[in-house]
Amino acid sequence: MRHVAIAKDGEQIKKIAALTSETRIVPEKPNYKMPDYVYFSHVRHKMGGVECAACHGDVWQSDTVEPHLAMRMKACVDCHKTNHAAVTCTTCHEAFQQ
């Protein structure tokens, strides 16, 4: 167990311990910032069987959460091709309004 050395009476630990199981935890700052013109759905990826570790690495074994995958179009397209997912422009980008 990695957290044996954490002071159990620390203020942050007390806050975490007081959370209910229904509490949604939102990171202080995002690890990945997608451009406004990119649409990404965690739900669709999860429904497609994509494990969290594919993009985020093994966060359960890390002391800190850091970017694991270069969030560039090539990485997304390569993953979509490997997993036989759609690679049309509007899969990830909204249709351009003219």
Side-chain angles (χ1 to χ4, degrees):
M1 179 175 235
R2 299 187 90 122
H3 298 296
V4 292
I6 292 177
K8 292 177 178 67
D9 59 346
E11 201 57 41
Q12 293 297 330
I13 296 299
K14 287 180 184 178
K15 286 180 185 178
I16 292 169
L19 297 175
T20 66
S21 61
E22 291 82 32
T23 303
R24 182 164 183 239
I25 298 173
V26 179
E28 243 178 62
K29 62 178 181 136
N31 281 312
Y32 296 110
K33 175 124 175 75
M34 304 300 278
D36 292 340
Y37 54 84
V38 175
Y39 173 76
F40 181 88
S41 169
H42 279 97
V43 172
R44 286 186 69 186
H45 284 81
K46 190 66 177 170
M47 287 173 51
V50 179
E51 295 295 326
C52 300
C55 297
H56 297 288
D58 189 356
V59 297
W60 303 111
Q61 297 300 316
S62 300
D63 290 331
T64 60
V65 178
E66 300 292 332
H68 173 73
L69 181 68
M71 294 308 273
R72 301 282 184 258
M73 187 172 160
K74 180 179 179 351
C76 296
V77 170
D78 288 349
C79 185
H80 277 225
K81 286 180 179 178
T82 299
N83 292 289
H84 309 289
V87 290
T88 60
C89 296
T90 55
T91 300
C92 304
H93 302 278
E94 291 183 32
F96 291 103
Q97 302 294 321
Q98 294 199 23

